[in-house]
């Protein structure tokens, strides 16, 4: 039997979470280093997965299949295509930086009841914080690997629990409210996050049960093959209802307008590393699942719903960007910018072109890296001043030039500047959309203009101008913080200049998806005219 590499990639952070949580209360530094080492080990395993994956091989590779709940047709089935490999690699890449960036975010307060509980060994916030991060990593990775619908559903929902505690229990202490009000806001954001996603999950559960009634099993590959060869004939209305059940849950997590309202609260009240975990890692499960499950299991219903989904994606692009322009809170600005970016991703998926879907997949990866860079530098800035409000900053580039420079690069990546990774993905999404839906593609370009506006205005108000008295003492980035930011910027530049390794990885998977929905790229009008 071959080594279960995909299982190991998910099990290592899960075991690491248990070990980190078990570290004695007073040994906080040991817990941090253990979590970091486990995350680096997971990154190594993810790199091995990427190396062993053959883009020109079968659709799903490194597969594992074992009986689980045989009476109900549930199996423990794992397998990755190029899209899954890219997102597993993204997750494994970001978690070490999330841990490094949050190195002191869960340190207990030096005074008060919390300090006394830690001293007595009753409360271990540091251990709990890093254990929860590793647990989320394990659940996200296995979600990208699962090819059994029921197995996917379990971890799709289970990841909500550690995220709830990360938002509500370890939220940002730098909010504009007093300590008591800040705790209330964190609890509100955590509950809103949980309720929105639970409602989506419950609707999806009904669709998962309906799929089993129709298909008789939960195997993604078996159901898709049966649909392709005609042995599973699904009634039109049945397919549409099942599609809507799956899509609703994924749209909540994505997040797509009008199901997005939990995200600004969650990212605003969470610490910067947890905010990165939300939008750069967890939310990608939603858009990934649209490609893997909606299009593959329900191809006709996906085409039927495409016009409405494209309109919703377009609204997300414009609406998110407009609200980002008007934000006074740095973290909420990044949250609304992410809503706009997810609109581009969903638009690329449902444009039903190879350029659009390749661009959407690249966008998932590039958005994760660029948002991590911007949000983590913003977190370093906020931790120095103790405020998330844009108006409390000014002239930072004169007292902390490296911080300001890395903040600028992260912002330029967010607005998809040519030469940085997000430009390639956004360009492909727009080209792919325009070739089939030119009006949608043209209107979507407004989002690019608005992205330049909210990014450059944010930089101008926080980093340029006279130095405010409140920012005179802001220190520049330290060695640990540079170790977080510099590699992310290096990856953004590398993938912006040379995206070929990533495109070669995902393009074959996109071709399979296009085949699932029986769509071909439209021919250029000039070529058609010559013929």
């Amino acid at each position: 039997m071959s080594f279960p590499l995909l299982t190991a990639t998910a099990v290592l952070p899960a075991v690491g979470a248990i070990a980190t949580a078990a570290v004695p209360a007073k040994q906080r530094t040991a817990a941090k280093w253990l979590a970091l080492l486990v995350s680096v080990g997971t990154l190594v395993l993810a790199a091995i997965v990427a190396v062993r994956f053959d883009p020109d091989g079968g659709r799903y590779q490194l597969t594992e299949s074992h009986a689980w709940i045989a009476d109900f047709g549930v199996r423990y089935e794992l397998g990755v295509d190029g899209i899954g490999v890219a997102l597993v690699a993204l997750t494994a890449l970001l978690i070490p930086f999330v841990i490094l960036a949050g190195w002191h975010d869960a340190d207990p307060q030096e005074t008060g009841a919390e300090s006394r509980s830690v001293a007595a060994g009753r409360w271990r916030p540091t251990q709990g914080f890093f254990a929860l991060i590793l647990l989320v990593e394990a659940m996200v990775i296995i979600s990208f690997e699962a090819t059994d619908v029921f197995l996917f559903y379990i971890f799709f929902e289970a990841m909500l629990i550690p995220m709830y505690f990360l938002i509500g229990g370890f939220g940002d202490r730098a909010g504009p409210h007093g300590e008591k009000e800040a705790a209330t806001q964190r609890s509100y954001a955590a509950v809103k996050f949980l309720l929105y996603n639970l409602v989506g999950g419950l609707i999806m559960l009904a669709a998962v049960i309906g799929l089993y009634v129709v298909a008789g099993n939960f195997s993604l590959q078996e159901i898709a093959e049966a649909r392709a060869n005609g042995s599973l004939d699904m009634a039109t209305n049945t397919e549409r209802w099942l599609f809507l059940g799956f899509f609703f849950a994924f749209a909540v997590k994505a997040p797509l307008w009008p199901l997005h309202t939990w995200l600004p609260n969650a990212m605003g009240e969470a610490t910067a590393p947890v905010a990165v975990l939300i939008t750069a890692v967890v939310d990608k499960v939603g858009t990934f699942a649209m490609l893997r499950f909606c299009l593959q299991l329900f191809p006709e219903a996906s085409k039927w719903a495409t016009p409405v989904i494209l309109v919703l994606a377009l609204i997300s692009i414009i609406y998110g960007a407009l609200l980002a322009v008007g934000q006074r809170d740095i973290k909420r600005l990044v949250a609304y910018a992410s809503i706009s970016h997810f609109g581009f991703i969903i638009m690329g998926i449902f444009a039903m072109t190879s350029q659009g879907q390749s661009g959407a997949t690249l966008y998932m990866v590039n958005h994760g890296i660029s948002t991590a860079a911007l949000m983590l530098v913003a977190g370093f800035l906020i931790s120095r001043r103790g405020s998330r409000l844009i108006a409390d900053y000014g002239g930072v580039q004169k007292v902390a030039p490296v911080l300001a420079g890395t903040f600028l690069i992260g912002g330029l990546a967010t607005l998809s500047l040519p030469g940085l990774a997000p430009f390639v993905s956004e360009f492909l999404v727009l080209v792919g959309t325009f070739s089939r839906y030119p009006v949608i593609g043209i209107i979507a370009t407004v989002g690019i203009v608005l992205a330049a506006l909210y990014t450059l205005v944010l930089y101008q108000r926080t980093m340029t101008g006279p130095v405010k008295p409140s920012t005179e003492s802001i220190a520049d980035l330290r060695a640990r913080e540079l170790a977080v930011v510099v590699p992310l910027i290096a990856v953004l530049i590398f993938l912006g200049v040379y995206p070929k390794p990533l495109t070669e990885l995902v393009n074959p998977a996109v071709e399979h998806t296009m085949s699932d929905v029986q769509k071909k790229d439209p021919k250029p009008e000039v070529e058609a005219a010559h013929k």
Side-chain angles (χ1 to χ4, degrees), residues 235-487:
T236 300
N237 286 337
T238 300
E239 180 179 351
R240 290 177 179 179
W241 280 112
L242 294 178
F243 167 85
L244 290 174
F246 276 74
F247 180 81
F248 183 87
F250 303 152
V252 171
K253 187 155 286 185
L256 178 69
W257 185 92
L259 306 171
H260 67 284
T261 58
W262 62 268
L263 183 66
N265 295 100
M267 289 184 65
E269 300 304 326
T271 63
V274 173
V276 169
L277 197 62
I278 295 169
T279 190
V281 176
V282 172
D283 287 355
K284 297 301 186 298
V285 178
T287 47
F288 164 80
M290 291 179 189
L291 277 167
R292 170 164 284 190
F293 296 101
C294 286
L295 269 60
Q296 192 170 344
L297 294 175
F298 316 111
E300 294 303 320
S302 297
K303 291 185 284 188
W304 162 75
T306 287
V308 174
I309 294 172
L310 288 177
V311 171
L312 294 178
L314 186 60
I315 294 173
S316 289
I317 293 169
I318 307 300
Y319 172 86
L322 283 173
L323 265 65
V325 171
Q327 288 304 305
R328 297 180 296 172
D329 183 309
I330 297 174
K331 291 166 72 176
R332 289 179 70 91
L333 185 152
V334 178
Y336 280 108
S338 290
I339 292 170
S340 181
H341 294 148
F342 274 101
F344 276 108
I345 294 171
I346 296 170
M347 184 176 74
I349 292 172
F350 284 90
M352 302 291 183
T353 60
S354 58
Q355 300 99 325
Q357 291 186 356
S358 293
T361 304
L362 296 183
Y363 216 131
M364 291 186 227
V365 176
N366 296 333
H367 170 264
I369 300 169
S370 63
T371 300
L374 179 62
M375 178 60 86
L376 292 179
V377 177
F380 297 149
L381 176 66
I382 292 168
S383 67
R384 285 158 165 75
R385 173 63 179 82
S387 173
R388 306 196 312 248
L389 297 179
I390 297 172
D392 289 339
Y393 297 89
V396 173
Q397 67 180 9
K398 296 177 181 177
V399 296
V402 177
L403 188 154
T406 53
F407 189 83
L408 177 61
I409 295 173
L412 293 176
T414 299
L415 64 83
S416 300
L417 183 76
L420 296 174
F423 169 77
V424 179
S425 46
E426 195 163 279
F427 177 78
L428 285 173
V429 166
L430 288 171
V431 169
T433 304
F434 183 83
S435 65
R436 196 179 294 278
Y437 302 98
V439 175
I440 296 289
I442 291 171
I443 298 174
T445 57
V446 175
I448 301 175
V449 178
L450 294 174
L453 181 61
Y454 63 67
T455 300
L456 297 178
V457 168
L458 172 64
Y459 183 83
Q460 180 188 43
R461 291 177 179 175
T462 55
M463 302 296 166
T464 65
V467 179
K468 291 188 176 182
S470 59
T471 60
E472 289 178 347
S473 60
I474 289 180
D476 217 335
L477 294 181
R478 305 177 182 92
R480 173 181 59 85
E481 295 164 335
L482 285 171
V484 171
V485 177
V486 171

Side-chain angles (χ1 to χ4, degrees), residues 102-316:
W103 202 252
H104 298 297
D105 285 359
D107 288 348
Q109 297 179 359
E110 296 181 358
T111 60
E114 183 177 328
S115 177
R116 292 192 295 272
S117 295
V118 172
R122 295 190 299 270
W123 171 235
R124 293 180 287 189
T126 304
Q127 290 84 336
F129 179 74
F130 292 105
L132 289 170
I133 290 175
L134 291 175
L135 190 59
V136 171
E137 179 182 25
M139 293 178 176
V140 169
I141 286 176
I142 204 166
S143 296
F144 291 141
E145 297 173 343
T147 56
D148 182 276
V149 177
F150 192 80
L151 179 67
F152 169 84
Y153 174 78
I154 288 175
F155 290 99
F156 179 81
E157 287 296 280
M159 69 180 70
L160 302 179
I161 304 304
M163 286 306 307
Y164 168 81
F165 287 109
L166 284 170
I167 297 168
F170 300 93
D172 195 355
R173 298 173 181 174
H177 318 287
E179 184 175 343
K180 185 176 180 179
E181 180 64 20
T184 301
Q185 291 295 323
R186 290 197 300 269
S187 297
Y188 171 78
V191 170
K192 188 173 184 179
F193 162 83
L194 186 64
L195 289 179
Y196 266 65
N197 284 275
L198 278 178
V199 169
L202 288 173
I203 293 175
M204 181 182 170
L205 177 60
V208 168
I209 295 171
L211 179 65
Y212 175 76
V213 171
V214 173
N217 64 78
F218 293 105
S219 174
L220 172 67
Q221 297 182 70
E222 290 183 14
I223 297 173
E225 183 179 347
R227 297 227 61 193
N229 62 29
S231 60
L232 175 59
D233 186 18
M234 200 177 293
T236 300
N237 286 337
T238 300
E239 180 179 351
R240 290 177 179 179
W241 280 112
L242 294 178
F243 167 85
L244 290 174
F246 276 74
F247 180 81
F248 183 87
F250 303 152
V252 171
K253 187 155 286 185
L256 178 69
W257 185 92
L259 306 171
H260 67 284
T261 58
W262 62 268
L263 183 66
N265 295 100
M267 289 184 65
E269 300 304 326
T271 63
V274 173
V276 169
L277 197 62
I278 295 169
T279 190
V281 176
V282 172
D283 287 355
K284 297 301 186 298
V285 178
T287 47
F288 164 80
M290 291 179 189
L291 277 167
R292 170 164 284 190
F293 296 101
C294 286
L295 269 60
Q296 192 170 344
L297 294 175
F298 316 111
E300 294 303 320
S302 297
K303 291 185 284 188
W304 162 75
T306 287
V308 174
I309 294 172
L310 288 177
V311 171
L312 294 178
L314 186 60
I315 294 173
S316 289

